[in-house]
Each structure stands twice: as C-alpha cells, then as structure tokens.
Amino acid sequence: MSEVKNILLCGVGGQGIILASKILATGLIKAGYDVKMSEVHGMAQRGGSVTTQVRYGEKVYSPIIGKGQADVLVSFETMETPRWLDFVKPDGKVVINAYEIPSATILSGAADYPQGVIEDISSKINTTVFKAAELAEALGNIKTMNVIIVGALVKAMGLEEIVDWNEVIAETVKGKFVDVNVKAFNVGIAQVK
Amino acid sequence: MKVLLTGNEAVARGAFEAGVTYASAYPGTPSTEILENMADYKEHMIAEWAPNEKVALETVIGASMAGARTIAAMKHVGVNVAADPLFTIGYTGITGGLVLVSADDPGCHSSQNEQDNRYYAKFAKIAMVEASDSQESKDYVKAAFEISEKFDVPVLFRMTTRVCHSKGLVELSERVPFEVIPYKKQPQKFIAAPAHAKMLHPIVEDKLVRMEAFSNETPLNRIEWGSKKIGIVTSGVAYNYAKEVFGDDASYLKLGFTFPLPMDKIRAFANEVETLYVIEELEPFIEEQMKVAGIPCIGKEKIPRIGELNPDIVAKALLGIERETVHPDASKIVGRPPTLCAGCPHRGFFFSLSKKKNVVITGDIGCYTLGSAEPLNATDSVICMGASISMGHGAKKAFEINNVDKRVVSVIGDSTFFHTGINSLIHVAYNRGNTVSVILDNRITGMTGHQENPGTGYTLQGDPANIIDIPQLVKSIGIEHVVSVNPLKLAEMDKALEDAFAYDGPSVIITRWPCVLKNFTEADLKEFDLSKKQCVVIEDKCKGCRVCTKTGCPAISFDNTTKKAKIDKYMCVGCEVCLQACPFKAIERAGE
C-alpha cells in the first residue's frame, strides 16, 4: 500500500468529472487509503478544459502531480487526451472515451477537430479506447457516461475488488439514479480486459 | 470520524467547531464555498453574503466588537476592497476572535492577478496563519481564533487555490460554544480618531514583539528532522510539494504561523543544516525576511516566483530532475477556451453590441468577461469589480475634452453592480457623464456558481428578502434615461442601444433575463417564458454564411464538408438568438 498512485481525469466542463472523481475517492477511502483529490472551479467550468486528480496510498502529501507522474490518464473527451498526455508515466495507461465535443475554436471555424488523435496516442502508450456515450444510450441515460468511465478506470487500476463499489455508488448518487449507475459502473468494468 | 473535505469545507467546519456565531463574505473563486458551507449551520450561526468584501469585513468587525467569534472570507483581490478597515483594525484590535480568510489564486485559475496576500499581514501588522491541507485548514482556523483573542489582533488566514479546492481526510470534532464576551463601551480602543490612533500604534508594535515570541514557541511552526544535508523552510501547499520531492532526504521547518515569523527558530534550524532552501509559492515573503535577519538561504534564484508550484517544478528547480514524459503530436492539440453557455442571456446583448462601430466597451468581472473572447470580441477592458462604469466615465470625459469622437459603453453584471458599480454610477450621474451603462441582470451571481445577491429575493440561508429594484434605484440617483430590455430579442436590444447613443447624457440599459443554469424561482417562472424550446437549421435554406456561428453559441457548429450549420439538440435551449441572426431565415423553432 505504500506507493502512491496517481489518476488524472480530464474532459470538458459539464461531463460529470467531479462526480466521477468523488465515486472513485469514496471507494478508495473505504478501502483504507489516504486520499487527496484536486479540482478546478470557477471560470474554467464554462465549457473549458477540466481536470481532476486523485492520489491514493498510505500517506499522500501533494494534492497535485506534475508531468510524467500519472499512472493512468482517463479522458472523457477525445481531443482532451493529447492536452494532458505528458502528465502520464511512459509505462502508464491511457483510457479514452471516444467522444468528440468541439471547442469554441472549432465551432467558429478557426480550426478543425483534430483527426487521428487515438491512433497517435495508441502508437505511443498503452491505450484503451471505448465509447461510453453509446453504452450510456443503450442504458437509456446518456448522463451515466461518467460512471461507465469510472467502472473502466477501476478495472484498469485493478481496484475492482477493494470495496463493494455498488455500495459506494449508492452512497454517492441520488436515490432514483442508483440502479442505472450501478449498471453503468458494471458496463464500464466489462470494457477493460 | 474522518471525512473527505475540501480546504474550504474544512475552514467552515473549523469555524463551526470554534463556536463562531456570525460570518460574512462576498463570493469569489477560490473562496466561495467557505461561507456556503457555513450557511448549513443555520441553527448555530448567521452567515450572510455581503454586497462587497469591505462590507463583509466591517460586519465581522462589528460582530467581534459585540463579543462574538466571527469570520469573513474572500478571494485575494477582495482583500484589496476590504483593505481600508483591515489596516485600522490592525491598530484597534478586536473583542471576540476575528479571522479573515484570504484565498489567493497562484496561477490565476480564475482571477485577474496572482498577488501574494501574505504581505497584507506584515503591512497591516496583524497575525497570519497558513494551512497546507484540509485537516490543517480545520485545526488552524480554531487555533487562529485563540491567537486572535490572546493577542487582541485580527488573524489573516491565508489559503491558496490548491488548499481551498483539494480534498483530504479530516478528523471532525464537536462544536464548543463560545460564550459571548460581555459588551463594554471602549472609545479609546474602537474610535480610531487621531489622538487614539497615536496611542494605539506603540501598542501594535509591542504586540508584534510578543507575537514573534509566540511564533518561536507555537507547534504551528514545527520541525521535522530528516537528513541534515538539506534544510527546507516552507509554508502552505508548498510544504506538500517539498515532502513529495525530498521525503526523508531533508529536514523541514514547516511554518503555519507565518507572521510574525519565528526568526529564532529559523536561525536555530538554519544552524543545523548544510544547505538551506526556502520553498514558497509566489513572492519571497519568508526568504526576504530571513535575508534581512542575516540568515543565508536559497529561494527565488531557483524557485519560480511566477505561477503555481507543483512537485515537478520543485524537483526540477532544486534537483535538476525531469521526469520522462510521452509527447503527443502537437497538431492534435486544439484550444478549448471557456465560452458563454448555450442560451446565456449575455450572448444576445454582446452580439448586438459587437456590431456597433466606433464604440469603446469597458467591461467588468463576471461570466460576461467572456464577451471579450472570440467570436464576439466586444470588450476593451476588464480591471476590477465595478471599474467598467467608472473607467468608461473617465474615458468618455477624456475623449470629449480632447475632441475625440468615440462612444463609450460600460458593461456590468447585477451582483458586480451592487458590489461597487453603484458608486461609479453615482459618479457618472452627478458629473453628467455621457456613457451608456448596461447592467446585465441575470437574476443571480453567475460565475461563482449561483449565489444570492440583493436583487434575487433570498438570503444565503434561504430566507425571503426585499429585492432591490434596479431601474428605480438608478432613477433615484439621477439617471433619467433608463430602459429595461430582454437581451434575447435582438431588435429590442439594438433599439435600446441606438436610443441610448442618441441620448445626450448618462443612460442605463438593464438587460433582464435569468442565467440559463439557474434554479428558477417561482418569481422567475412567473416573469419569464422559460419553457423548453429548441432551434433547428433547415438545411435547404442554409447558405453556409456562418453568421449564426458568430454568436459564439457552443450548440452551433459548422460542417466544413456540407458547408451547413448544425445545432446540437442536447445543448440548444431555444434562446433564438441564432434564429434572429440568420439572414436567410434558415433557423426555425423545432416542431413548427
């Protein structure tokens, strides 16, 4: 338990990244880890690029990491991945939710949505790609995309056995959304081999 | 019991446990959640949003004079607004414990500068406490109240974004009620007239000497021995970065009580170690004082004074270590600047205004700062809260006397208007300025995450309140040309601007429509048509002129292959700004 592990989650304001981090952190605490987590609030949330960091181990000091330090980068949106890639250890993992949200720069026609992002990253580092949006729609609730991603992340980090995650989800999401989010979490687990 | 709390939540909890009964603040990132979390302790304390930070601090000074433990919270630049009373309570002292939280923002995540407010403690001659994580945020706030009462001094509780918004495990305790100190009239203490002020100054200097002695003894300033080859003096979040990088390969003097500094303790520590580093974020506050005291150390010649630190920056600066990283193809990285939301009422206003020629637009602090960004490119200046109206006035007067033909529009939000804009508008009215002041009334304090303000009808703790009627207020200070409009109706908006330009004298336009992210009140639902609508592009009619994308709406994209615009059905709320902007009537309401 002594080595501190670092998870970096990135995406776009409004994608539910903070809730995803909260589920993850709650599970880690229940499993007995010291946890630190960092978020960014304020203007950055208005459709901007958003990250949270979750660090866990026996004793965690810094709430944030620097470049080359993340064990896993979980990207909720395709083109956010390269923006944060240099935070990952060269032998770390990248989990990408293949989902495109064009930024204002692209919408205004000043740039095109970048092509070949996933190919570029897959050629450089251990990468898992899946489409949480399609899986969430199949579950009948597009908003469960974030919890599907948490499931995939938990599997990628080998954390699926540390606690009863269904219980963690029941504690962290609102009552009527528990069932669908538990399903979503398990769909996410199944995405990572 | 241990719970995961942000530093802000922990400060609120600490204030609760310390027996605070009155708290006030003006919202500002990264400080906002401190007061929001105190509002939940309604049975035990009063928590109130003030219209600005000066008012917040003054109410807290009053509560302290009344004998209660009390706390004010604000972002770093808010302390500038509250600086006037702050410097004088440095002289008068307090009765009930008084803590002022300053939440600094190294890295300018959500601020107009990255000033280091530790200098305020030295400047105002008051005590300062700094926490490095959530547990310390809670514990040290409690200690700060004791220090405040022990030395009859306000305590500056200095936090930074990473302490405010990081979460860590916190051990909770019970609340210990604070028995109010019986009120006593003390004119020589609280009337800071010149004769009294002269007598108070030597008392302050004496307090500083006694507080330095305390600083040398308090466990808030602790030594953690490791290897003595390297010694590190540090405070706040930088302590965590130092520990992360050096672990047991260094010894640490971790400072929690950072003004007055424990110079004897620092000197003794310095004598024990071979190389002495000072690791602090932003300015060399500790380093400078150490050097003046004749203690050699290495600080800002290695550690950057610009922006936030992190473990990487510290490792690179002091050890020359750089981690291996994976580099993406740089062409795959496209910017993602923040934007006004789909359906934001500010969009209609800025879209109309951005078409006007020969206009200087002075802006202000809020989501509408984004009116300066692509593709609206409207605003010319943003300096500080309330400056739009006063800067616009000065600019217009200077243009006029120097025969420069320019129109001036000042743009300010409702909460920012109540904050300090109202003073500026009094100036414009009384001095017969010739500017157009536009108050963007979106019925809430938007950017900081929806706080009540004197225009919304509710207090922080949920009680109904009298709403300030902005048009009536503006008229009563002497503005004669006052118009209220729906900013989403472009023709109406355009006419309001043209009428104001044609008017000789000061004018005010109030754009009134609620923030699209707001939890609508019953009054909102009664006043505004907030039913769900949606717009669609009729492909056959779309000529690919891209005018709709010039509104900057994140729901509209342009397909470069089909050369047609497209509206995202999940994001569109049917505000119809694009529908009115389209010159070919190619956008319609869905289902019609």
Side-chain angles (χ1 to χ4, degrees), chain A residues 32-78:
Chain A
Y33 289 105
D34 185 25
V35 176
K36 277 199 177 149
M37 187 176 145
S38 193
E39 315 168 349
V40 171
H41 297 218
M43 195 184 247
Q45 289 178 313
R46 301 284 175 262
S49 172
V50 172
T51 63
T52 67
Q53 308 186 0
V54 178
R55 311 192 68 212
Y56 64 98
E58 196 175 324
K59 170 71 191 165
V60 183
Y61 285 102
S62 172
I64 57 168
I65 55 167
K67 290 181 178 173
Q69 229 185 328
D71 293 281
V72 59
L73 168 68
V74 187
S75 182
F76 284 50
E77 198 277 347
T78 306

Side-chain angles (χ1 to χ4, degrees), chain B residues 120-423:
Chain B
Y120 267 115
K122 190 163 185 273
F123 200 178
K125 299 178 183 289
I126 61 176
M128 175 162 62
V129 171
E130 283 184 81
S132 66
D133 63 13
S134 297
Q135 181 72 58
E136 283 187 359
S137 293
K138 197 206 74 163
D139 295 343
Y140 286 13
V141 157
K142 292 166 81 174
F145 282 105
E146 284 164 19
I147 292 164
S148 175
E149 285 149 10
K150 184 179 167 78
F151 294 101
D152 185 12
V153 67
V155 176
L156 186 76
F157 194 85
R158 194 255 191 172
M159 302 174 80
T160 54
T161 303
R162 292 298 174 188
V163 179
C164 293
H165 285 165
S166 295
K167 289 186 176 176
L169 288 169
V170 178
E171 182 80 50
L172 304 184
S173 314
E174 293 298 311
R175 173 177 169 96
V176 179
F178 177 76
E179 203 167 314
V180 72
I181 297 165
Y183 185 74
K184 200 166 65 182
K185 189 164 177 152
Q186 301 176 85
Q188 290 185 327
K189 178 177 171 69
F190 282 115
I191 298 178
H196 296 161
K198 275 182 209 166
M199 289 191 294
L200 289 169
H201 192 180
I203 297 172
V204 174
E205 297 301 328
D206 176 59
K207 275 185 208 172
L208 289 173
V209 173
R210 287 188 290 121
M211 286 197 291
E212 185 174 338
F214 171 82
S215 185
N216 281 310
E217 290 156 16
T218 174
L220 296 181
N221 294 330
R222 65 170 190 262
I223 292 174
E224 295 172 11
W225 291 115
S227 162
K228 292 190 175 178
K229 282 201 176 329
I230 295 171
I232 295 168
V233 179
T234 184
S235 73
V237 76
Y239 161 75
N240 296 304
Y241 306 152
K243 287 289 273 195
E244 192 82 27
V245 172
F246 290 94
D248 295 335
D249 299 335
S251 294
Y252 303 84
L253 173 50
K254 196 274 185 191
L255 303 176
F257 187 85
T258 43
F259 192 77
L261 284 171
M263 216 45 90
D264 291 346
K265 198 177 235 177
I266 294 173
R267 190 173 284 109
F269 178 75
N271 288 339
E272 294 280 324
V273 298
E274 282 178 35
T275 306
L276 185 61
Y277 293 124
V278 181
I279 303 180
E280 56 188 326
E281 222 166 33
L282 295 176
E283 302 298 324
F285 177 80
I286 299 170
E287 178 190 344
E288 278 174 352
Q289 293 180 68
M290 284 169 60
K291 285 183 172 163
V292 168
I295 303 168
C297 56
I298 299 162
K300 290 296 161 186
E301 65 256 50
K302 299 249 185 195
I303 304 271
R305 75 195 292 164
I306 298 167
E308 264 195 313
L309 298 180
N310 66 31
D312 244 22
I313 293 169
V314 172
K316 193 177 165 192
L318 298 182
L319 300 174
I321 295 173
E322 247 181 294
R323 280 199 180 82
E324 262 186 79
T325 58
V326 185
H327 297 288
D329 173 353
S331 71
K332 310 289 186 210
I333 302 177
V334 178
R336 190 183 294 280
T339 54
L340 295 173
C341 303
C344 174
H346 303 332
R347 175 168 292 105
F349 163 68
F350 280 118
F351 185 69
S352 297
L353 180 60
S354 62
K355 291 186 169 166
K356 303 294 174 199
K357 300 282 182 272
N358 199 32
V359 185
V360 172
I361 303 165
T362 52
D364 225 301
I365 311 277
C367 288
Y368 47 91
T369 302
L370 297 171
S372 62
E374 288 277 358
L376 295 161
N377 295 321
T379 315
D380 290 69
S381 70
V382 175
I383 301 291
C384 68
M385 296 285 288
S388 56
I389 296 177
S390 20
M391 278 180 69
H393 177 82
K396 182 66 181 174
K397 289 282 181 184
F399 286 144
E400 281 173 349
I401 197 163
N402 293 294
N403 300 313
V404 179
D405 176 30
K406 287 252 180 228
R407 303 186 284 194
V408 176
V409 176
S410 303
V411 180
I412 190 165
D414 48 347
S415 189
T416 310
F417 176 67
F418 297 130
H419 180 280
T420 36
I422 186 166
N423 297 295

